[in-house]
Amino acid sequence: MSSQQTLQFRADPFVLSHCCRHIRLAGSLTLQSPLKQPFSGLRFRCRRTFQGGVRSSAKEAAQSNNGNRDKKSPVPETAIEPKRVYPFDDIEPKWQRYWEENRTFRTPDDVDTSKPKFYVLDMFPYPSGAGLHVGHPLGYTATDILARLRRMQGYNVLHPMGWDAFGLPAEQYAIETGTHPKTTTLKNIDRFRLQLKSLGFSYDWDRELSTTEPDYYKWTQWIFLQLYKRGLAYQAEVPVNWCPALGTVLANEEVVDGVSERGGHPVIRKPMRQWMLKITAYADRLLEDLDELEWPESIKEMQRNWIGRSEGAELDFLILDGEGGRETDKKITVYTTRPDTLFGATYMVVAPEHHLLSYFITEEQKQQVEEYKDFASRKSDLERTELQKDKTGVFTGSYAKNPANGDAIPIWVADYVLASYGTGAIMAVPAHDTRDNEFALKYNIPIKWVVRNEANSSDDDAKQVYPGVGKIENSSSLETGLDINQLSSKEAALKVIEWAERTGNGKKKVNYKLRDWLFARQRYWGEPIPILILDESGETIAVSESELPLTLPELNDFTPTGTGEPPLSKAVSWVNTVDPATGKPVKRETSTMPQWAGSCWYYLRFMDPKNSKALVDKEKEKYWSPVDVYVGGAEHAVLHLLYSRFWHKVLYDIGVVSTKEPFKCVINQGIILGEVQYTAWKDQEGNYVSADTEERLNETLQQVTLPEEKVMKSGDHFVLKEDPSIRLIPRAYKMSKSRGNVVNPDDVVLEYGADSLRLYEMFMGPFRDSKTWNTSGIEGVHRFLARTWRLVIGLPQSDGSFKDGTLVTDDEPTLDQLRSLHKCIAKVTEEIESTRFNTGISGMMEFVNAAYKWNNQPRGIIEPFVLLLSPYAPHMAEELWSRLGHPNSLAYESFPKANPDYLKDTTIVLPVQINGKTRGTIEVEEGCSEDDAFALASQDKKLEKYLDGQSIKKRIYVPGKILNVILDRTNVKVTTK
């Protein structure tokens, strides 16, 4: 090719965005700026010009075209290079190579345990094919800043990264394309790793692990066997979310509006024999130990609600036969937290899956009930318990006896009652429960008020549903001997429980919303469950620990079997085996573990990732546990954290770990939303309609998304620039490919550098708050880094390059310079430790602003500031540190400490009066002498016009209070300077 050409590449922009930073050709090469889509197959143009192996300006490249171009001829537009405010594209690859080659951030296997430790961890990412978007690095940058700070403060730091890589997405991709899930997973991991390295995160890559590696899931299987041996892993027939198209059981959170979250396939409820983990055995401990954790109160409350401990009673309602209303020997047991309302129960509801339902359905109602059961099976538990949904149900044709008063009350079946909660049946009290009230009104069921709302005693209020407590009424029966009238709700509840236990009608009961953990998936791409099943009896046998890992067999067909059997059942030679202990024929379990399994305990393996003898070495675990700071999304606030805590407590009980809890401090970062989108409406004629008019509600209006250049701000609103009377609706959405608002970090790094991206994500706002991405906003922090660079290195030379040296001098710092530095040190240190990263950046900006006013840049000031900058912008800081004459990385240099002497504000504002009238103020040191104060006043621009050339009669000086200068008007003027 010629030495000056514009090339167009048809390739993956992610690859090119990294490659183009290292291209060096004998001629010059111009690549133009990239498109903003992270998809292969797009034309990718990156604007970079290189000359003769050294980066040069586009002008020089154009003029050096082998002498064929006239030196005065204009430079073609395609060769004009954007202004480069500092050479981040040279600096960042250089230091990333240095860190990797020198293993700068490796945590030794054996550390000096006399030093304090700091274990900071990101929640395990799932490496998808889409790669990172700019929302992902938010938490990673925060943990990196904390890790870098603690290293420099002398801590042993553990800051690892790995991959939660089993799961449904890779398996579905395999089904669609025929690509083995392992191939896809490894490719995605490589992509994620390269992206993370490009952002300069100080992970110890020697400890990298993946849940899909047999050396890792060997120990996941080992943990399962410990659960199995202790009766905490068992099989049971339970109703599950079954997706025929995907051929697997789905968790509740994987079902949305009756279809699978992935693929939108119909999901039904059906009973299946499944592996369960008995997390309910740890419910009280999981609840009680929350109080000891340094977690956001909102997360702890979410876990408390999920566990849902409540105290109440189990009460028995005898089923009456359909003919004469006689009592049978069958009973429906209900759990209630409000036994005080027993007299108000006017009907009963059982779940569609209730084990006694088939016993008491009448022939007349059987078809209706069966149809309703089929209807309910197509909903997830979350949908069935949705408070806003329309309540539905069917009368079974049968009645039960209210034990409090002997009344016969109808038994209904309705999907808002779950078989998995309580007993799968409720006593319905429509006067004092909102859901029961809605149901009773819809189906014309009697309503009986038994609790009086003493705060509102009007007749109208007495007929409104009241779920609160108060005085009990209408609650007495001579037949049963129970009278709770005029008691408070609390007193009545205790009396009902005492009566029920005495008469055999029930008992006191503590209940939990928490259900045992469904621990099986009908998938291929997951950890095999190490269980053998005897052919003859179906008895389960644990695989010997010495035979672990039980590895996945190779399969080419991952499609669902269509029978409910998992894909592993197709590996016939793997499934059919013999029990080593007895020689009897057995089959291997063909369900696999859920994706949650590998992520439950990975934090422990990072402490000792290469150990082949144990899950983790006891001494290493004792030193590193617990995780000091754990950062991730709020979407994992309940299940992941709850499951991890459960497994950790089991491991604590068997002596594997030394702490009761895995994570000391949990922090949820906010979400980065896509850039603001502006919505307008047009009528049928194509005319814009303002969003503040009622016409906007008309369904005939067409929604239009407008680009930012067509929008302007008017007061508190956004309006159409061409017609300000048209008000628009601005809104930022979560980043997603479907909305087209995903911002690829590779593009940002290419344009502004990794340090700018890191700084911008931290500067956008408080770390825990959600924020809206604005690409133009990154230019502000980019300019700050450029100013910092010029402060130390100086202005670029005429060819655009920067000199090798610095502007730093060996002068002694002034008091003002020391104060600026130490205020910055105090601010940055405090804000990082409090995870107020945005205000820490503000402190550094204030320092740089002050430094630009100085006449010199002393080494004793600049070097500590570079160390302060390094957790936020490590590439620039390393380069500046190197140019300041230091041969080694600054990663382990001591982080500056603020000297309290320089933090004191020793200056005061002193009012200055001329002939008793205040004319201005001066800033003086505490203890300033009268002569010094007068000299400062004489030099002040506002005051000198009153003093210059005037005769001074006397000066009145009160230290720290006032300086009053009395002029002698009768004498001849003399200079005071």
Side-chain angles (χ1 to χ4, degrees):
M1 80 178 190
S2 66
S3 59
Q4 177 63 49
Q5 276 186 286
T6 298
L7 293 186
Q8 291 187 344
F9 292 88
R10 192 171 183 80
D12 187 340
F14 171 73
V15 177
L16 292 177
S17 68
H18 291 274
C19 292
C20 72
R21 297 170 72 177
H22 306 288
I23 293 175
R24 295 294 183 264
L25 299 174
S28 64
L29 171 64
T30 302
L31 304 169
Q32 295 182 343
S33 59
L35 296 172
K36 298 282 185 181
Q37 292 97 341
F39 307 113
S40 62
L42 295 173
R43 288 192 178 277
F44 176 86
R45 298 162 65 120
C46 169
R47 199 179 194 109
R48 289 288 183 267
T49 302
F50 300 96
Q51 174 65 30
V54 180
R55 180 178 167 80
S56 66
S57 70
K59 185 175 181 180
E60 289 174 315
Q63 291 177 346
S64 63
N65 188 13
N66 296 328
N68 294 330
R69 185 181 300 277
D70 178 48
K71 291 185 178 180
K72 295 183 180 180
S73 63
V75 180
E77 184 180 354
T78 55
I80 296 176
E81 182 185 26
K83 183 177 179 182
R84 187 176 62 150
V85 294
Y86 77 95
F88 63 83
D89 48 354
D90 290 331
I91 293 170
E92 293 179 356
K94 167 186 173 182
W95 286 102
Q96 288 165 20
R97 285 194 303 272
Y98 176 93
W99 296 328
E100 186 154 2
E101 290 167 2
N102 291 276
R103 300 163 78 193
T104 303
F105 307 113
R106 178 179 177 270
T107 304
D109 292 332
D110 298 310
V111 297
D112 179 0
T113 56
S114 66
K115 294 172 63 176
K117 65 91 178 178
F118 184 66
Y119 186 0
V120 57
L121 184 64
D122 299 295
M123 286 189 183
F124 233 13
Y126 180 81
S128 69
L132 298 174
H133 63 62
V134 292
H136 294 116
L138 180 66
Y140 304 156
T141 304
T143 58
D144 195 59
I145 290 171
L146 291 168
R148 288 176 179 274
L149 171 70
R150 289 292 187 242
R151 279 193 203 94
M152 298 173 77
Q153 290 177 330
Y155 286 71
N156 289 324
V157 172
L158 185 57
H159 186 38
M161 176 51 71
W163 319 106
D164 186 13
F166 273 131
L168 186 58
E171 183 156 338
Q172 281 305 111
Y173 186 79
I175 293 170
E176 293 163 7
T177 65
T179 308
H180 196 285
K182 183 175 183 179
T183 303
T184 305
T185 299
L186 292 175
K187 180 181 177 182
N188 294 344
I189 287 174
D190 288 344
R191 176 170 171 77
F192 262 61
R193 186 191 304 109
L194 188 59
Q195 285 186 293
L196 291 176
K197 287 185 176 182
S198 77
L199 295 172
F201 297 132
S202 60
Y203 294 124
D204 178 0
W205 289 106
D206 283 6
R207 292 175 183 258
E208 179 185 7
L209 54 84
S210 168
T211 56
T212 61
E213 295 300 321
D215 287 348
Y216 179 84
Y217 69 71
K218 166 185 177 179
W219 298 104
T220 309
Q221 293 171 336
W222 182 87
I223 295 172
F224 177 86
L225 291 180
Q226 311 317 304
L227 294 164
Y228 177 78
K229 292 173 184 176
R230 286 157 181 79
L232 297 172
Y234 65 96
Q235 283 188 303
E237 189 93 358
V238 293
V240 297
N241 300 314
W242 173 253
C243 180
L246 296 178
T248 188
V249 170
L250 299 176
N252 283 331
E253 60 275 9
E254 295 173 318
V255 182
V256 180
D257 296 330
V259 298
S260 62
E261 184 180 34
R262 183 174 181 85
H265 304 293
V267 175
I268 61 173
R269 296 281 289 177
K270 76 171 191 176
M272 289 182 67
R273 192 158 186 80
Q274 297 286 297
W275 281 99
M276 309 289 292
L277 298 188
K278 202 169 185 179
I279 190 174
T280 51
Y282 283 73
D284 282 326
R285 289 169 63 182
L286 289 168
L287 192 61
E288 292 161 5
D289 292 346
L290 282 170
D291 295 334
E292 303 174 15
L293 300 175
E294 298 174 22
W295 292 16
E297 193 57 39
S298 59
I299 297 181
K300 293 199 282 188
E301 194 58 29
M302 288 171 71
Q303 293 219 350
R304 292 187 186 106
N305 291 337
W306 191 268
I307 296 168
R309 185 183 191 276
S310 62
E311 295 184 1
E314 278 189 351
L315 300 171
D316 296 331
F317 289 67
L318 290 175
I319 299 172
L320 305 176
D321 73 23
E323 296 179 2
R326 294 185 301 272
E327 295 178 6
T328 68
D329 60 352
K330 300 288 185 181
K331 62 186 178 182
I332 299 175
T333 301
V334 303
Y335 171 77
T336 178
T337 60
R338 294 294 303 273
D340 57 311
T341 64
L342 179 57
F343 281 91
T346 60
Y347 68 102
M348 298 191 74
V349 181
V350 297
E353 306 86 5
H354 195 278
H355 67 286
L356 286 177
L357 181 56
S358 60
Y359 171 80
F360 53 76
I361 302 172
T362 64
E363 282 299 321
E364 294 81 4
Q365 294 297 108
K366 188 171 184 179
Q367 182 176 346
Q368 270 191 288
V369 172
E370 290 300 325
E371 289 174 354
Y372 185 78
K373 286 172 62 178
D374 181 65
F375 164 77
S377 73
R378 303 182 187 280
K379 297 182 181 180
S380 71
D381 287 354
L382 293 178
E383 291 175 286
R384 286 171 56 174
T385 55
E386 171 58 49
L387 294 177
Q388 305 305 319
K389 82 178 186 76
D390 182 41
K391 306 299 183 293
T392 61
V394 174
F395 178 43
T396 64
S398 295
Y399 292 80
K401 178 183 176 181
N402 184 329
N405 53 21
D407 290 351
I409 59 176
I411 306 171
W412 287 70
V413 57
D415 65 2
Y416 75 88
V417 175
L418 302 178
S420 59
Y421 178 64
T423 64
I426 65 166
M427 65 175 204
V429 185
H432 304 293
D433 182 275
T434 302
R435 293 183 309 170
D436 296 347
N437 184 266
E438 292 172 356
F439 193 89
L441 291 174
K442 180 173 180 178
Y443 293 105
N444 199 28
I445 300 173
I447 300 173
K448 181 180 179 181
W449 279 264
V450 295
V451 182
R452 184 169 68 251
N453 181 359
E454 296 181 291
N456 296 292
S457 56
S458 69
D459 291 339
D460 289 339
D461 289 328
K463 297 304 178 184
Q464 300 296 316
V465 61
Y466 175 60
V469 296
K471 288 286 185 182
I472 303 301
E473 59 186 11
N474 302 321
S475 298
S476 177
S477 171
L478 290 174
E479 180 184 345
T480 63
L482 179 61
D483 181 1
I484 55 176
N485 277 333
Q486 301 307 309
L487 296 180
S488 69
S489 290
K490 184 176 181 180
E491 293 169 326
L494 293 174
K495 188 169 182 179
V496 169
I497 293 171
E498 182 274 328
W499 167 84
E501 291 181 334
R502 177 166 43 84
T503 60
N505 285 303
K507 61 183 179 180
K508 184 177 181 180
K509 177 73 173 177
V510 175
N511 201 31
Y512 300 88
K513 288 182 181 177
L514 182 67
R515 301 292 90 200
D516 280 347
W517 176 6
L518 186 96
F519 196 74
R521 297 291 185 270
Q522 286 64 50
R523 302 174 187 161
Y524 167 74
W525 194 235
E527 298 94 333
I529 295 175
I531 293 292
L532 303 174
I533 303 167
L534 278 169
D535 284 357
E536 298 174 356
S537 63
E539 179 188 353
T540 56
I541 305 169
V543 170
S544 170
E545 291 179 15
S546 63
E547 295 182 27
L548 300 181
L550 174 61
T551 57
L552 277 173
E554 288 296 323
L555 277 184
N556 296 320
D557 180 11
F558 317 104
T559 57
T561 60
T563 64
E565 285 291 311
L568 274 180
S569 63
K570 298 176 182 179
V572 177
S573 61
W574 181 85
V575 172
N576 296 312
T577 184
V578 295
D579 177 16
T582 64
K584 292 181 178 180
V586 292
K587 294 184 184 295
R588 297 192 190 277
E589 173 61 59
T590 54
S591 290
T592 52
M593 299 185 196
Q595 190 173 348
W596 300 104
S599 61
C600 272
W601 70 279
Y602 69 104
Y603 60 93
L604 292 170
R605 193 60 177 173
F606 277 137
M607 301 174 187
D608 193 14
K610 304 295 191 267
N611 194 331
S612 61
K613 304 295 183 184
L615 183 151
V616 61
D617 178 80
K618 286 184 178 295
E619 291 303 314
K620 291 177 180 178
E621 183 279 328
K622 190 174 181 180
Y623 177 71
W624 287 113
S625 286
V627 175
D628 295 282
V629 176
Y630 191 35
V631 175
E635 66 272 17
H636 300 300
V638 177
L639 294 181
H640 163 62
L641 292 175
L642 200 63
Y643 293 156
S644 291
R645 294 180 63 220
F646 165 45
W647 276 30
H648 191 90
K649 289 181 183 302
V650 174
L651 294 174
Y652 176 75
D653 290 348
I654 63 177
V656 174
V657 298
S658 59
T659 62
K660 291 192 297 181
E661 289 286 338
F663 313 117
K664 180 180 179 183
C665 173
V666 168
I667 301 174
N668 294 135
Q669 81 270 23
I671 297 171
I672 293 184
L673 303 172
E675 296 199 71
V676 174
Q677 297 180 348
Y678 302 93
T679 302
W681 283 264
K682 285 184 176 182
D683 60 22
Q684 290 178 327
E685 286 73 40
N687 301 313
Y688 283 106
V689 177
S690 184
D692 57 348
T693 67
E694 292 185 9
E695 292 178 71
R696 176 186 158 218
L697 302 177
N698 190 324
E699 293 183 0
T700 63
L701 294 182
Q702 175 191 3
Q703 281 194 25
V704 182
T705 301
L706 296 176
E708 191 173 6
E709 57 266 22
K710 290 190 176 184
V711 178
M712 70 178 187
K713 187 83 179 288
S714 176
D716 294 331
H717 306 288
F718 289 90
V719 298
L720 191 64
K721 193 177 289 185
E722 65 186 48
D723 183 358
S725 67
I726 302 298
R727 187 182 296 181
L728 311 174
I729 298 294
R731 184 175 175 184
Y733 297 88
K734 187 175 180 179
M735 289 188 182
S736 67
K737 286 192 291 185
S738 61
R739 285 199 174 272
N741 64 348
V742 172
V743 179
N744 187 347
D746 305 330
D747 295 337
V748 180
V749 170
L750 186 65
E751 190 78 13
Y752 297 99
D755 284 343
S756 291
L757 176 60
R758 291 167 61 111
L759 236 65
Y760 178 57
E761 298 220 347
M762 294 296 97
F763 194 58
M764 291 171 73
F767 179 60
R768 293 165 174 80
D769 292 356
S770 293
K771 297 155 283 266
T772 302
W773 179 268
N774 184 349
T775 301
S776 61
I778 200 170
E779 294 174 359
V781 293
H782 191 58
R783 285 194 298 270
F784 161 69
L785 288 175
R787 294 189 76 218
T788 302
W789 177 263
R790 294 194 302 271
L791 179 72
V792 181
I793 304 301
L795 294 171
Q797 301 177 97
S798 59
D799 63 356
S801 64
F802 292 87
K803 63 179 182 180
D804 292 335
T806 69
L807 300 178
V808 172
T809 69
D810 291 323
D811 300 342
E812 283 297 316
T814 65
L815 184 60
D816 179 54
Q817 290 170 332
L818 288 167
R819 283 180 179 159
S820 291
L821 171 66
H822 286 271
K823 285 181 181 178
C824 185
I825 293 172
K827 178 78 169 176
V828 172
T829 305
E830 179 183 354
E831 302 306 80
I832 292 179
E833 291 181 339
S834 302
T835 64
R836 296 189 294 262
F837 304 107
N838 56 325
T839 48
I841 296 171
S842 297
M844 291 188 288
M845 288 178 170
E846 291 171 8
F847 172 86
V848 170
N849 288 339
Y852 264 88
K853 299 174 184 176
W854 301 338
N855 294 325
N856 63 351
Q857 309 300 333
R859 181 177 296 274
I861 300 297
I862 297 303
E863 287 196 346
F865 175 72
V866 170
L867 296 176
L868 286 181
L869 178 67
S870 64
Y872 285 93
H875 305 91
M876 174 179 281
E878 289 275 24
E879 182 66 18
L880 294 177
W881 191 250
S882 174
R883 293 188 180 214
L884 286 165
H886 301 280
N888 299 319
S889 167
L890 52 66
Y892 295 92
E893 292 291 329
S894 294
F895 199 75
K897 293 182 179 180
N899 186 333
D901 293 340
Y902 296 122
L903 301 179
K904 298 175 183 176
D905 195 356
T906 59
T907 61
I908 58 173
V909 177
L910 185 73
V912 178
Q913 293 182 344
I914 307 297
N915 291 336
K917 188 172 183 178
T918 302
R919 297 293 186 181
T921 60
I922 56 175
E923 193 172 281
V924 300
E925 294 288 328
E926 286 183 0
C928 177
S929 68
E930 179 181 331
D931 287 342
D932 288 342
F934 180 71
L936 288 169
S938 302
Q939 296 165 10
D940 185 88
K941 291 183 178 180
K942 290 184 179 180
L943 296 170
E944 66 177 354
K945 64 182 179 181
Y946 298 103
L947 298 173
D948 189 22
Q950 300 298 319
S951 175
I952 307 300
K953 185 174 183 179
K954 67 175 180 178
R955 299 189 306 229
I956 302 170
Y957 180 60
V958 181
K961 300 292 184 181
I962 198 168
L963 171 64
N964 188 4
V965 181
I966 308 299
L967 303 179
D968 185 357
R969 302 266 184 207
T970 61
N971 293 338
V972 180
K973 293 182 180 180
V974 295
T975 182
T976 58
K977 290 188 177 179

